[in-house]
Amino acid sequence: MNDNYDVVIIGSGPGGYVAAIRSAQLGLKTAIVEKESLGGVCLNWGCIPTKSLLKSAEVYQMLKHSDFYGIKADKVSIDFKKIIKRSRGVAKTLSDGISYLLKKNKIDLLIGSATFVTNNHLKVNNNGNIYDIKSDNIIIATGARAKLLPDVKLSKNIWTYREAMVPEELPKNIAIIGSGAIGMEFASFYNALGSNVSVIEIADNILPSEDKEVSEHAKKEFSDLGIKFYTQTSVQKISSKDSKEILKIKDKKNKINTIEVDKVIIAIGIIGNIDNLGLENIDIKTENGHIITDKWSNTNIKNIYAIGDVAGAPWLAHKASHEAVICVEKISGLENLHPLNKNNIPGCVYSTPQIASIGLTEKIASENYNIKVGKFPLMANGKAQAIGSTSGFVKVIYDEKTGELLGAHMIGDGVTELIHGYAIAKNMEGTEEDIKTTVFPHPTLSESLHEAVLNAYDISIHF
Amino acid sequence: MPLELFMPALSPTMEDGTLAKWLKNEGDIIKSGDVIAEIETDKATMEFESIDDGILGKILIPSGTENVLVNTVIALMLTDEETQEDLDNYNTKSNKSISSIKQDTETLKEFSDPDSDLNKDNKSLDDSDDNQDISIESNSNISKKIHKEKITISPLAKRLAIEKNIDYKTITGTGPYGRIIKKDIINPTAKLNDDIKNDKSNLSSSNDAVDYYNPKNYDVLPLTKMREIIASRLTKTISEIPQYSINIDCSVSSLNKIRARMNQELSNQDIKLSINDFIVKASSKCLLEVPEVNSSWAGNSILKHHTADIGFAVAIEGGLITPIIRNVEIKGLKEISVESKILINTAKERKLKSSDYEGGNFSISSLASYGIKSFNSIVNQPQSSILSVGIAEERPVIINGALAIDNVMTVTLTSDHRVIDGAVAAKFISYFKQLIEDPSLLLL
């Protein structure tokens, strides 16, 4: 193996493998180092397998309520092991797909853990077999892992997302600490399959980064489905007793309560994988567990870059992939590049109900602009009525002065497949005029995107 | 055939300018000598006069268009019996205008320095292969081009441009495929001088400002040509020239006495000498006495000037300009006074010709009228020094060991250290002090 590369990427998640493919496309001699499974967390332990799990939960709920549609389905039951198996199978298929893509693009795959020796020299350790590689440019795409609570150790009953994805059996009672996207997706999954789910959130609202109105609607709907919420509440202590976990929790009035559960999922956020990379050998600057980068993903060392979760929020696979492309194109010297505009990155939660958003929340927008807000309830959408998914709404926020789309927030069935409409408009700097004059097909849920904009300008037709 | 009106070259170095405003509309009758448009160049707004009689047939370059290259056809004029039909037929053109354009280019070249940017820009015209094509394009197709050239602009940027009355057709987009995006309109720094354009780092700070402040709390003012030039020149100067300042206090008591007597003498001629006239005169004598200061850095050489051509900064609406009194060394105070008053008035009316403000060797800036005691100016490249004049005021001084009151003025000389060393600057400024404190020496 030739050990002199133009670009070496550490990590093969949605940042790393995309960087490698784009780099190879641009004619750069490229290698990728992976210590575990191709595709990283996203593909093996995150985005993809959870969507498989959630689909199973949805199908189960659909069948349980099939009577609503005039279908009789008696004795519907769960094969939990098969649900998990299918999820692992999907991850495996996609991981194999990455392997094929790397080969196709003639990218060298180096299995092992990489450590910086100098700024262009890595040692790769594959189970004790150590070899040296050199590269003009190195991209750190090592991703992130679950942040843990201080004084809480993982065990057979205390999980992160990773253990929560491959349980042996369905837990009866489960507590989820943190109500972000990851916490709520697991809450939704386990609740739908029949577990008793409690969610503990330290902030005022669940899904704290979402628009408040969406968050409140979500809380109500999740509660109606049986999820129990403890907001403005912190976990003081977790202790084990007779293979149960007892959580001592404190609410905002400093009142202490206890919850007894079988399993605990910690979903309080993530922390960058910056350890054991030898970053200290080359003085790469980090902050709060993440590598500091500029808008081109460049670290403080000229030829070293960091992309995706390891380089900070928002912690989203699609953000990593876009940073990957921009970063590699920058390395290759392409011109007229544009750094990623973080306001234009959509975020999705695949729970039931689904939540999708882009740009500023109403609160932040109103602090910075004079705004126009439009809302359209799915109740008033023909397709939503037809398919029996009438809960939820679409909300848009415009700059009153310029017609710039500042943000969009939606909750309801299928909204994660709708948000890109606003993402395109936002990325192209479309104004309300562009959406007003766009023809949306009837009948679709997407008509709500249209109507929400009409509503912002007081010309709603169906509401 | 309609008569073509070309973008005029108002100075030998002018490459392009802003067609600030049409003063006549399409269809207006034009008499020779009528001012039909205002052209804004680097420094001043000039009137564009017609030299023919006719009817303004069609305006091809709209008001407010920036960076219109010299010799671009800006409008068509109908003469004699010509009609709309002649305008419509304008696309199929004879070569007459092509040769006339070439001729203009030749003429221009004679005036310009062989290394000037002008020639670089016109180089393509000299490459004979492309000659014909380029000329034809810049003539016969121009009206078509203006209307048909596809400008990519985001809907939001377009709306902002219209709202702010910015002609986006002249803006260089920074979005995908050169698309004009919001940022380009909010922050139209795109067209600074070429030298600034090449140095992207100069732009970044201004871009940051847009992101830094809450848009609710500011209005966006598009840059005037003058503001762009000031920004670009001074940024270039401050980053290129190692400059330093020294200052000295001058007693003006005797000067004021002499000045009062002279003004009494001149009162029937409606002339009043100002302290600045003395400063200009004294500076000219210093420039001859210390010729190192009357020099310019020229990269691999230093130019030593023969005459004392002295500019003085005049604040005008939206910026400042530095008209020049030439050959001050042979002029008397009276002449200097009369000439400077005329130049100040012309500057304030924005009617200076480029020859009025180009080519000085030394500059003077005074903030005395604002009560400023002393300040440092930035050297006006390619000059190598500038004198900053503060207020003449009563100050406590020590004379013969006793405290006394005297009329004192502080002057500061800022110099390009590549040309002028500290001791030389000190020699200049101390001679200046001597002249101001004993104005009879100005007669020598």
Side-chain angles (χ1 to χ4, degrees):
Chain A
M1 190 179 290
N2 185 339
D3 60 359
N4 258 320
Y5 292 97
D6 295 323
V7 179
V8 167
I9 297 130
I10 309 172
S12 73
Y17 83 78
V18 169
I21 292 171
R22 186 72 190 109
S23 172
Q25 280 175 350
L26 289 164
L28 302 171
K29 187 162 170 49
T30 309
I32 191 164
V33 187
E34 173 57 57
K35 65 175 180 179
E36 210 182 307
S37 316
L38 284 176
V41 168
C42 160
L43 218 150
N44 296 286
W45 299 103
C47 321
I48 298 293
T50 51
K51 301 304 98 66
S52 165
L53 297 176
L54 286 161
K55 179 67 189 180
S56 295
E58 253 175 61
V59 171
Y60 177 57
Q61 284 299 319
M62 172 75 90
L63 290 173
K64 266 180 70 175
H65 297 99
S66 67
D67 186 52
F68 175 80
Y69 298 99
I71 310 289
K72 286 219 180 305
D74 296 332
K75 293 178 189 159
V76 176
S77 64
I78 294 168
D79 182 345
F80 192 65
K81 287 210 155 46
K82 196 164 174 187
I83 290 174
I84 304 299
K85 200 179 153 200
R86 192 184 91 84
S87 156
R88 299 321 304 157
V90 170
K92 173 80 169 60
T93 305
L94 288 173
S95 185
D96 291 349
I98 304 293
S99 172
Y100 160 78
L101 287 172
L102 295 181
K103 272 190 206 120
K104 182 186 141 194
N105 286 286
K106 302 193 170 55
I107 296 158
D108 287 340
L109 170 61
L110 314 169
I111 300 293
S113 318
T115 318
F116 280 96
V117 181
T118 67
N119 66 335
N120 56 8
H121 177 188
L122 293 171
K123 269 195 190 314
V124 178
N125 181 343
N126 181 9
N127 287 323
N129 286 330
I130 295 174
Y131 47 100
D132 293 284
I133 53 170
K134 294 213 165 167
S135 180
D136 293 346
N137 301 284
I138 297 171
I139 301 174
I140 304 168
T142 49
R145 62 185 186 280
K147 196 194 271 178
L148 299 179
L149 287 164
D151 307 325
V152 174
K153 282 219 163 69
L154 297 185
S155 67
K156 72 176 175 51
N157 289 342
I158 301 180
W159 296 343
T160 66
Y161 63 87
R162 197 162 174 137
E163 294 77 22
M165 218 171 293
V166 285
E168 301 278 315
E169 56 190 19
L170 186 66
K172 197 157 184 287
N173 297 297
I174 192 162
I176 296 172
I177 306 171
S179 72
I182 295 174
M184 287 321 300
E185 287 186 6
F186 280 112
S188 187
F189 170 68
Y190 282 109
N191 183 61
L193 294 185
S195 303
N196 297 313
V197 177
S198 302
V199 175
I200 301 150
E201 171 58 57
I202 199 161
D204 299 355
N205 300 296
I206 67 160
L207 294 159
S209 63
E210 296 297 335
D211 187 87
K212 192 162 175 237
E213 207 172 347
V214 167
S215 159
E216 281 167 357
H217 185 102
K219 188 177 176 193
K220 184 177 179 305
E221 207 168 319
F222 284 129
S223 301
D224 290 348
L225 292 168
I227 298 174
K228 201 162 175 355
F229 287 101
Y230 299 87
T231 51
Q232 295 177 301
T233 300
S234 59
V235 176
Q236 300 294 297
K237 199 180 168 203
I238 305 176
S239 46
S240 308
K241 192 186 166 197
D242 304 332
S243 79
K244 301 261 184 198
E245 301 298 322
I246 298 155
L247 280 71
K248 206 167 104 181
I249 57 172
K250 186 169 88 175
D251 67 15
K252 69 167 175 177
K253 291 171 189 154
N254 289 329
K255 216 181 115 194
I256 306 283
N257 266 316
T258 55
I259 315 176
E260 193 181 290
V261 293
D262 302 306
K263 305 288 176 190
V264 178
I265 301 174
I266 299 173
I268 57 167
I270 61 160
I271 182 159
N273 291 324
I274 57 171
D275 305 326
N276 308 319
L277 285 167
L279 296 187
E280 59 287 351
N281 298 339
I282 50 168
D283 283 331
I284 288 208
K285 290 214 171 91
T286 62
E287 191 174 41
N288 298 328
H290 295 275
I291 295 173
I292 301 171
T293 56
D294 67 10
K295 61 185 174 181
W296 302 108
S297 298
N298 203 181
T299 67
N300 59 310
I301 311 281
K302 204 174 152 227
N303 67 322
I304 300 177
Y305 300 78
I307 56 172
D309 288 355
V310 76
W315 297 296
L316 295 164
H318 40 281
K319 174 247 188 189
S321 302
H322 273 266
E323 281 181 344
V325 170
I326 295 165
C327 166
V328 170
E329 290 182 346
K330 189 81 183 166
I331 289 172
S332 83
L334 287 192
E335 285 177 357
N336 298 323
L337 299 177
H338 300 93
L340 191 56
N341 179 348
K342 289 189 178 167
N343 270 328
N344 289 352
I345 304 174
C348 295
V349 186
Y350 297 81
S351 50
T352 301
Q354 292 189 346
I355 291 136
S357 61
I358 188 166
L360 306 179
T361 61
E362 183 175 344
K363 181 169 186 289
I364 292 171
S366 68
E367 286 163 2
N368 294 281
Y369 298 85
N370 293 318
I371 56 170
K372 264 186 181 303
V373 178
K375 241 179 93 175
F376 186 75
L378 292 180
M379 181 86 77
N381 174 277
K383 178 71 178 294
Q385 285 287 348
I387 65 173
S389 302
T390 52
S391 180
F393 61 87
V394 174
K395 170 172 164 178
V396 286
I397 299 151
Y398 277 96
D399 179 358
E400 188 179 32
K401 200 166 147 202
T402 61
E404 179 180 5
L405 178 55
L406 299 172
H409 307 273
M410 46 189 89
I411 178 164
D413 193 8
V415 296
T416 57
E417 299 287 351
L418 296 182
I419 190 71
H420 68 276
Y422 288 143
I424 294 170
K426 213 166 169 340
N427 193 45
M428 296 182 69
E429 293 189 345
T431 66
E432 87 288 351
E433 200 63 39
D434 301 286
I435 296 180
K436 266 158 71 178
T437 54
T438 296
V439 182
F440 288 77
H442 178 76
T444 60
L445 296 176
S446 73
E447 289 170 283
S448 324
L449 304 190
H450 191 226
E451 287 277 5
V453 175
L454 297 182
N455 182 251
Y457 289 83
D458 300 322
I459 48 172
S460 285
I461 302 290
H462 295 96
F463 180 57
Chain B
M1 193 195 71
L3 190 72
E4 292 162 322
L5 301 181
F6 296 101
M7 182 72 173
L10 300 171
S11 73
T13 54
M14 175 174 163
E15 300 170 28
D16 60 36
T18 298
L19 207 164
K21 197 172 167 195
W22 282 102
L23 301 171
K24 299 281 181 185
N25 298 316
E26 289 181 2
D28 285 0
I29 293 168
I30 311 285
K31 290 250 175 287
S32 167
D34 282 358
V35 177
I36 53 176
E38 283 177 7
I39 311 288
E40 199 179 316
T41 68
D42 303 10
K43 294 232 173 186
T45 304
M46 308 221 187
E47 294 172 342
F48 180 42
E49 289 179 11
S50 174
I51 46 168
D52 295 280
D53 294 342
I55 293 168
L56 187 57
K58 186 150 191 68
I59 291 172
L60 299 176
I61 306 286
S63 291
T65 307
E66 291 175 31
N67 294 11
V68 181
L69 291 174
V70 166
N71 281 334
T72 304
V73 182
I74 56 175
L76 300 175
M77 209 160 109
L78 299 174
T79 50
D80 301 331
E81 304 297 316
E82 286 172 336
T83 62
Q84 182 64 33
E85 207 177 314
D86 295 282
L87 279 181
D88 297 342
N89 291 337
Y90 172 68
N91 287 340
T92 55
K93 282 197 42 61
S94 78
N95 276 330
K96 184 175 161 283
S97 65
I98 296 166
S99 54
S100 75
I101 272 205
K102 271 164 69 183
Q103 214 174 353
D104 285 352
T105 315
E106 302 291 338
T107 324
L108 261 175
K109 258 166 54 190
E110 283 166 24
F111 281 105
S112 58
D113 180 300
D115 290 332
S116 77
D117 289 337
L118 178 73
N119 279 328
K120 279 180 221 153
D121 274 8
N122 282 337
K123 197 167 172 291
S124 55
L125 279 176
D126 293 334
D127 296 344
S128 52
D129 281 356
D130 296 325
N131 206 347
Q132 197 87 339
D133 290 351
I134 286 175
S135 306
I136 285 170
E137 173 143 306
S138 65
N139 281 281
S140 38
N141 288 339
I142 193 146
S143 62
K144 268 205 245 163
K145 252 183 91 178
I146 281 165
H147 298 294
K148 289 194 175 166
E149 193 179 344
K150 194 164 167 62
I151 288 160
T152 56
I153 177 166
S154 84
L156 179 60
K158 190 170 183 175
R159 181 177 286 179
L160 286 167
I162 291 166
E163 233 167 52
K164 293 176 192 301
N165 209 9
I166 293 170
D167 181 11
Y168 59 80
K169 291 183 191 75
T170 61
I171 289 179
T172 313
T174 64
Y177 300 99
R179 195 162 188 250
I180 302 165
I181 56 176
K182 176 186 166 188
K183 199 179 75 184
D184 304 326
I185 303 288
I186 295 284
N187 186 32
T189 47
K191 288 178 310 318
L192 291 185
N193 265 13
D194 278 352
D195 29 351
I196 291 294
K197 231 187 250 170
N198 295 337
D199 186 2
K200 290 268 161 56
S201 59
N202 286 329
L203 295 179
S204 61
S205 57
S206 39
N207 280 321
D208 290 347
V210 170
D211 299 335
Y212 187 78
Y213 293 108
N214 182 340
K216 263 189 171 176
N217 298 337
Y218 59 71
D219 294 325
V220 176
L221 309 178
L223 296 183
T224 59
K225 192 89 187 168
M226 180 176 289
R227 186 54 42 200
E228 283 185 12
I229 296 290
I230 290 172
S232 104
R233 290 259 166 88
L234 295 185
T235 308
K236 185 167 147 60
T237 305
I238 206 78
S239 54
E240 277 181 8
I241 298 190
Q243 42 192 309
Y244 67 98
S245 300
I246 58 173
N247 60 53
I248 200 162
D249 292 343
C250 312
S251 165
V252 292
S253 300
S254 358
L255 188 150
N256 277 345
K257 268 184 221 142
I258 290 170
R259 187 162 71 97
R261 212 166 61 227
M262 287 177 163
N263 279 338
Q264 211 170 14
E265 207 54 42
L266 290 168
S267 57
N268 57 348
Q269 294 179 43
D270 201 24
I271 292 173
K272 198 172 170 219
L273 300 179
S274 72
I275 196 161
N276 284 333
D277 300 329
F278 285 79
I279 292 168
V280 170
K281 184 63 194 171
S283 300
S284 78
K285 289 196 87 69
C286 295
L287 288 171
L288 296 193
E289 180 73 16
V290 189
E292 294 96 322
V293 177
N294 197 17
S295 302
S296 291
W297 181 256
N300 45 17
S301 59
I302 287 172
L303 312 181
K304 202 164 147 191
H305 303 297
H306 297 155
T307 55
D309 296 349
I310 299 177
F312 56 100
V314 178
I316 57 176
E317 202 190 321
L320 81 160
I321 194 156
T322 312
I324 291 155
I325 306 176
R326 290 177 204 276
N327 295 99
V328 180
E329 76 278 8
I330 57 165
K331 287 179 181 163
L333 285 166
K334 204 171 106 181
E335 262 178 292
I336 293 169
S337 181
V338 170
E339 197 174 332
S340 64
K341 270 180 196 75
I342 293 171
L343 286 170
I344 290 170
N345 288 336
T346 320
K348 292 202 161 147
E349 288 166 15
R350 291 175 166 262
K351 284 186 174 155
L352 287 178
K353 292 196 286 292
S354 58
S355 57
D356 292 333
Y357 55 77
E358 282 183 354
N361 310 335
F362 182 79
S363 291
I364 297 171
S365 174
S366 170
L367 292 176
S369 61
Y370 297 94
I372 302 300
K373 188 176 171 192
S374 79
F375 65 104
N376 300 353
S377 302
I378 296 175
V379 171
N380 191 4
Q381 228 180 4
Q383 299 171 11
S384 52
S385 58
I386 182 166
L387 190 73
S388 314
V389 180
I391 188 172
E393 57 181 353
E394 288 191 330
R395 286 188 209 161
V397 292
I398 311 280
I399 297 173
N400 299 329
L403 196 57
I405 294 172
D406 194 10
N407 240 314
V408 179
M409 160 183 88
T410 305
V411 294
T412 306
L413 185 73
T414 303
S415 305
D416 180 348
H417 211 317
R418 297 173 304 181
V419 182
I420 303 167
D421 294 333
V424 174
K427 191 174 157 198
F428 181 98
I429 205 168
S430 59
Y431 185 53
F432 181 87
K433 177 184 166 85
Q434 207 187 333
L435 293 173
I436 291 295
E437 296 193 342
D438 184 0
S440 59
L441 297 174
L442 292 174
L443 299 172
L444 291 175

